[in-house]
Amino acid sequence: MIDLQEARRRVLSRCVPGRPRAVPLEEALGCVTSVAVSADEAVPPFANTAVDGFAVRAADVAAASTAAPVILRVVGTIAAGSAPEPPVGPGEAVRILTGAPVPEGADAVVMVEDTDAWDGRSGRQAVGRTEASTVAVRRGVPGGTSIRPAGEDVAAGQVVFPPGTVLGPGHLGVLASVGMRRVPVYPRVRVGVLSTGDELVDGGGPLGPGQIRDSNRRTLLALVAQANAEPVDLGLAGDDEAAITSVIAGGAGRCDAILTSGGVSVGDFDYVKVVLDRLSEGTMEWMQVAIKPAKPLAFGTVDGTPVFGLPGNPVSSMVSFECFARPALLQMMGHPRIDRMEVTAVADEPLRRRPDGKLHLVRVRVDWADDDGRFHVRSSGGQASNLLRSMALANALALLPDGDGVEQGGEVRVRLLSWPG
Ligand code: AMP
Ligand code: MG
């Protein structure tokens, strides 16, 4: 057996980032920038008001107070989306609405709450109405008040994001705000998923003797999608050398990576490792990794395409994906961090195991407790490698090193798979 770190190192050393390219923003969510991204435009593009109110000359209203308001002549209105007209002269104000450009002459905006505006014809208060002809300013403001300067968020020519930035919704918004349509990233990798096994059937319909339904393909395709890669369904193959050969050889041509499940143990009908050995030109490693579940892993490259021969048991295939395929796919997509978050948690029940020289990855539910400010875990169910439901119910894997496990109240390291789910 080899330890997890060594197995991971062997896999990761053969999974290199793809060739970067500029993709449209609508396809870039979750992708990683390959170079520094600079803005051609400033944001905001012009000085504008942060509030609804009156654009004024700060010097005009410096002495304003409730007891002695300053009366200004209202010479116009500027709404968001309008040109910054008219200019503001001495003794004048322009009614202005949030986001509207600040007109020439004005160097501050007084909030509408600090003013009384009057409708010149009826003499009634006209707050928020366009017909105001004078405004009484009850509070003096220093120059620059409530004005958002041009380029405050992004200056033209500025680097907005360094290389290696994982693009989230906010990043895409910033790129849109500077008028970018495309962004240079490592593209999503296309990942083929194949299930193998004579016992497997696809979808519904009655089960024949000895048959079970294929669940791994559904799971692995979803794990690929969740890693922000592009899943490609390569279907089902029986325990048949020729069939497996044709799917893997064909898949290598149109995918950037391939995941298979089943057929990598020591059984007589475990053909994936046989086929991979033949197709991988000596690169295949058939590893016995010191972890439980997911001990066997066949890994090699076919025409440069990494092929992961994951074990067939449903939980093993998921855990193997977590330990090897996910970090490898993230590395191929340029991610600076390829590991899940790990935290220390308190075991709310004993998590027992027997010494066997392996690292146990135990399916648990982790929760945060406000009263002691710590994470707590409990087993999510049976830990045999065929029990998929306890994997579905888990939101973390507890990492139990070789030994007897952890007593109730003891500390355990957990790798978060999803939060809060
Ligand atoms: P294998 O690794 O091929 O020896 O398979 C180990 C166990 O996992 C066997 O009980 C298989 O029936 C089961 N298994 C293999 N592939 C799948 C699959 N795609 N869906 C559900 N169970 C599977
Ligand atoms: Mg099998």
Side-chain angles (χ1 to χ4, degrees):
M1 285 197 299
I2 58 173
D3 73 18
L4 177 58
Q5 288 315 321
E6 172 59 17
R8 235 177 85 107
R9 199 190 55 69
R10 293 186 193 179
V11 168
L12 291 176
S13 69
R14 296 179 158 277
C15 295
V16 294
R19 188 192 301 275
R21 69 177 142 84
V23 305
L25 293 194
E26 55 271 32
E27 292 169 21
L29 180 62
C31 294
V32 180
T33 55
S34 54
V35 291
V37 179
S38 303
D40 290 337
E41 298 176 3
V43 182
F46 50 84
N48 67 95
T49 172
V51 298
D52 293 330
F54 292 86
V56 300
R57 294 171 170 252
D60 282 355
V61 299
S65 67
T66 310
V70 170
I71 311 295
L72 301 173
R73 205 155 53 79
V74 178
V75 295
T77 296
I78 309 174
S82 305
E85 307 280 351
V88 175
E92 293 178 347
V94 162
R95 187 168 170 272
I96 193 165
L97 294 122
T98 303
V102 175
E104 222 179 283
D107 61 353
V109 174
V110 181
M111 297 171 73
V112 72
E113 291 87 341
D114 292 329
T115 65
D116 296 300
W118 299 97
D119 171 347
R121 275 163 300 171
S122 66
R124 274 175 305 152
Q125 198 160 6
V127 175
R129 307 229 309 259
T130 49
E131 61 270 39
S133 58
T134 63
V135 61
V137 176
R138 287 187 263 97
R139 185 180 346 206
V141 291
T145 299
S146 296
I147 292 177
R148 308 190 281 212
E152 186 183 26
D153 196 5
V154 178
Q158 179 193 333
V159 169
V160 281
F161 302 125
T165 301
V166 183
L167 297 173
H171 300 88
L172 298 180
V174 168
L175 298 177
S177 76
V178 299
M180 283 184 76
R181 310 278 292 276
R182 292 175 169 265
V183 56
V185 297
Y186 297 98
R188 288 189 178 81
V189 287
R190 287 167 56 81
V191 184
V193 177
L194 167 71
S195 284
T196 71
D198 278 342
E199 72 279 33
L200 302 176
V201 293
D202 202 3
L207 290 172
Q211 291 188 323
I212 61 167
R213 302 189 200 281
D214 172 16
S215 64
N216 289 352
R217 198 152 40 103
R218 193 49 47 220
T219 306
L220 290 168
L221 289 166
L223 286 168
V224 167
Q226 215 173 40
N228 197 41
E230 212 179 288
V232 177
D233 190 347
L234 298 179
L236 254 180
D239 292 311
D240 176 278
E241 229 181 298
I244 295 171
T245 299
S246 103
V247 178
I248 292 181
R254 60 189 181 105
C255 299
D256 305 301
I258 293 177
L259 311 176
T260 67
S261 69
V264 294
S265 300
V266 291
D268 286 343
F269 301 105
D270 287 332
Y271 287 121
V272 170
K273 64 175 195 288
V274 175
V275 168
L276 193 50
D277 194 25
R278 212 158 32 70
L279 292 180
S280 68
E281 295 169 322
T283 65
M284 186 192 82
E285 299 205 55
W286 184 43
M287 293 177 259
Q288 305 302 314
V289 189
I291 57 175
K292 186 176 181 172
K295 182 170 78 155
L297 172 71
F299 175 80
T301 57
V302 175
D303 297 334
T305 302
V307 180
F308 296 78
L310 309 178
N313 268 304
V315 178
S316 305
S317 69
M318 282 188 83
V319 168
S320 196
F321 179 92
E322 271 302 321
C323 291
F324 303 107
R326 186 174 182 279
L329 298 180
L330 294 183
Q331 180 167 292
M332 292 170 78
M333 295 187 289
H335 280 255
R337 291 166 153 213
I338 57 176
D339 292 317
R340 299 273 200 190
M341 179 151 80
E342 288 183 10
V343 299
T344 300
V346 180
D348 280 354
E349 62 187 10
L351 298 173
R352 299 241 163 73
R353 54 156 299 178
R354 287 207 195 92
D356 57 3
K358 296 179 189 164
L359 172 72
H360 284 214
L361 298 113
V362 176
R363 283 150 262 172
V364 294
R365 287 226 38 100
V366 54
D367 264 307
W368 175 259
D370 273 331
D371 30 320
D372 64 357
R374 308 200 63 180
F375 289 103
H376 289 253
V377 290
R378 281 177 182 279
S379 163
S380 64
Q383 297 293 322
S385 60
N386 58 320
L387 302 177
L388 185 55
R389 209 170 65 89
S390 62
M391 184 67 183
L393 296 174
N395 62 353
L397 294 171
L399 308 176
L400 296 188
D402 197 16
D404 301 314
V406 186
E407 289 309 312
Q408 183 172 341
E411 283 192 343
V412 61
R413 192 93 182 136
V414 300
R415 181 174 300 172
L416 299 178
L417 300 178
S418 61
W419 186 266

